[in-house]
Amino acid sequence: MLSRGIRFAALAAITLTVAGCGSTIDGTAAAGELDVRELEVGKYATDPLDLRYTYYHDLSGGANLALMRLADQVVTGPEIDARLKYGTGAVPILDAEKATKTLADVTQPVLESNGMMFGYAVGHRDTPADKSGKRPEDASFTTVTVLQFPSEEAAKKAAMEIEELDFELAADANQPVQLSKYADAHTHWRPGVPTIGSVMARSNYVINVYAGLKDPELDKLTELVEQVYDAQAPLLDALKPLNREDMLRLKYDTDGMLRRTLNPDGFGSPDISSQAAFELRGFLHQVSDQDHWSRVMRDVGMDRYSLSRSMSNSSMVFRTRDTEAAENLITVILENSYPNAADAPAAIPNARCGESPTKDDYSTKRFRCAVTYRQYVATVEGDQLTDAHQRAAAQYALLTNSW
């Protein structure tokens, strides 16, 4: 159905807003380093998470780990086309109903009957969002949904049936389109309407594309769809499909990012929205200005990112190339979303704090502070500056206490 808009849910992000119990600090100061035992950390724990939480493999955790793994292999806007600088959100998909946030509602039974396992959907466009979050009428955009099925046969069948149902929603107006580079793709458009839909099976995966331009020019629309497949297909070719046993056995926090991330509650169950670790691409799905942050993060060699979020906490950790790169990143980490300078905790070397210009937004904390230790940069948030300082101190101590 090519008349539908992008129906992204709660993860429509703004620039880098992706979006602690005992006070005793363990550890011993090394030569030339701050003695973190002297820091004022308030109530926030400074022990690595794995000393307070143990992950026991289960289906829910495995599904979320599978989503994180897939997110790292789903294409970003600038990888498709340099014009598509801005992300419009991401939708993690754990069931067929959630997939209808970006696919037509009528496809839900098809997804269920073919055994859809999980998926991830992302959006991009060439203009930033307005205050309402709506897409301007003349904006170029893509919506890319990647779903994994139990087998290649199931994926092929699902792709064909998705196209049939989508086409039939406006059968009197839609026309089939053949892509010269991707003969296996099922594609259609509605003449006079500047959008196009396409779906293609790739191994056990299904890639669904919904894209639009300012003008209803079929050659340019098909070119855009082929650009999506050019960028997305190789990423999936490099990602071995999982079966349900594989999902159950996925390793938790393999690079030790979550153990380094401030988590006051000590609850570490994998959750792609609130307790997760990603590579660069997975991080970029969570910000608006993907072009800007892609350049920033590539310049500092950022290869791993983690977040720990709850009602009382929002913390992030970035792993960069080396100490110098981390020091470069901390100089820009607050500039767009927390641009108003705020006092930093004096005891922590190179710490930075900023105040948000956003008012009356319950989801945005007033202050964000950033600290750096070796190749890591971390951010914490609080509505009171003293609390933000204590969180920053606990996060810094946590980084020094991790190995």
Side-chain angles (χ1 to χ4, degrees):
M1 180 176 64
L2 297 184
S3 62
R4 67 185 185 277
I6 299 176
R7 294 177 288 171
F8 279 109
L11 276 175
I14 62 175
T15 304
L16 204 61
T17 58
V18 218
C21 290
S23 59
T24 302
I25 304 177
D26 296 324
T28 304
E33 289 191 350
L34 172 68
D35 185 349
V36 296
R37 294 170 297 185
E38 302 299 322
L39 291 177
E40 176 51 59
V41 301
K43 62 183 179 180
Y44 298 111
T46 59
D47 287 329
L49 180 62
D50 57 358
L51 299 183
R52 298 181 292 135
Y53 169 83
T54 300
Y55 172 58
Y56 296 98
H57 295 264
D58 59 29
L59 290 176
S60 176
N64 275 275
L65 292 171
L67 286 178
M68 298 173 209
R69 177 178 179 268
L70 178 59
D72 286 331
Q73 296 297 108
V74 175
V75 70
T76 65
E79 290 178 304
I80 298 169
D81 190 298
R83 296 172 297 171
L84 300 173
K85 297 180 179 181
Y86 302 97
T88 57
V91 178
I93 298 167
L94 284 173
D95 57 55
E97 182 180 4
K98 193 64 176 287
T100 62
K101 295 292 184 182
T102 55
L103 304 184
D105 292 342
V106 294
T107 62
Q108 182 173 338
V110 164
L111 302 178
E112 292 172 342
S113 64
N114 286 289
M116 189 211 82
M117 298 170 65
F118 55 86
Y120 199 74
V122 295
H124 326 96
R125 65 183 173 207
D126 63 352
T127 56
D130 60 22
K131 291 183 178 180
S132 69
K134 293 183 178 179
R135 172 174 57 85
E137 291 297 323
D138 60 350
S140 299
F141 72 90
T142 56
T143 305
V144 183
T145 304
V146 177
L147 307 171
Q148 199 210 296
F149 290 81
S151 65
E152 292 187 23
E153 293 73 19
K156 289 179 181 178
K157 186 171 180 287
M160 181 180 64
E161 293 176 346
I162 289 169
E163 169 63 9
E164 290 174 351
L165 290 171
D166 206 21
F167 190 95
E168 286 300 317
L169 289 172
D172 58 337
N174 286 332
Q175 291 185 2
V177 175
Q178 185 64 48
L179 301 182
S180 60
K181 294 179 67 175
Y182 295 94
D184 293 337
H186 308 283
T187 309
H188 68 272
W189 85 311
R190 190 179 306 174
V193 178
T195 58
I196 191 169
S198 184
V199 59
M200 181 177 71
R202 190 82 170 190
S203 180
N204 291 32
Y205 300 99
V206 165
I207 308 169
N208 186 275
V209 182
Y210 178 53
L213 297 171
K214 178 180 180 181
D215 300 309
E217 300 179 37
L218 182 57
D219 58 340
K220 292 184 179 179
L221 286 167
T222 56
E223 180 183 6
L224 180 55
V225 171
E226 289 182 338
Q227 285 179 274
V228 174
Y229 287 140
D230 287 345
Q232 182 60 74
L235 296 177
L236 296 179
D237 292 344
L239 188 68
K240 181 183 177 181
L242 300 173
N243 59 38
R244 297 195 183 279
E245 183 177 350
D246 293 333
M247 292 170 60
L248 191 60
R249 295 179 181 277
L250 287 173
K251 293 183 178 180
Y252 174 79
D253 198 24
T254 53
D255 286 337
M257 293 296 293
L258 289 171
R259 73 189 307 273
R260 291 177 163 86
T261 308
L262 186 67
N263 183 331
D265 302 323
F267 182 67
S269 182
D271 187 297
I272 193 168
S273 300
S274 61
Q275 187 70 13
F278 302 95
E279 297 176 3
L280 174 59
R281 197 175 285 111
F283 162 74
L284 292 173
H285 294 317
Q286 302 180 54
V287 300
S288 175
D289 194 341
Q290 292 187 347
D291 177 66
H292 169 75
W293 287 109
S294 176
R295 287 184 281 107
V296 168
M297 295 303 180
R298 291 183 191 281
D299 284 348
V300 300
M302 194 280 281
D303 65 347
R304 293 294 287 174
Y305 154 78
S306 59
L307 76 154
S308 181
R309 181 189 295 127
S310 66
M311 291 294 292
S312 63
N313 183 68
S314 182
S315 305
M316 298 181 285
V317 175
F318 304 84
R319 187 176 71 184
T320 69
R321 181 186 307 110
D322 52 31
T323 299
E324 181 181 0
E327 292 172 353
N328 290 336
L329 179 58
I330 200 173
T331 64
V332 299
I333 200 74
L334 305 177
E335 65 182 10
N336 287 341
S337 51
Y338 284 78
N340 302 328
D343 290 339
I348 303 175
N350 206 29
R352 308 289 177 92
C353 291
E355 184 174 0
S356 171
T358 303
K359 306 297 182 184
D360 302 321
D361 180 359
Y362 74 91
S363 64
T364 301
K365 299 293 186 181
R366 181 178 176 184
F367 298 102
R368 176 179 285 169
C369 293
V371 298
T372 179
Y373 180 76
R374 296 181 180 173
Q375 74 267 46
Y376 296 95
V377 175
T379 68
V380 296
E381 298 174 9
D383 282 323
Q384 302 297 324
L385 189 56
T386 298
D387 180 54
H389 284 183
Q390 289 178 346
R391 290 174 185 265
Q395 176 64 82
Y396 183 84
L398 176 58
L399 291 173
T400 68
N401 288 339
S402 300
W403 53 89

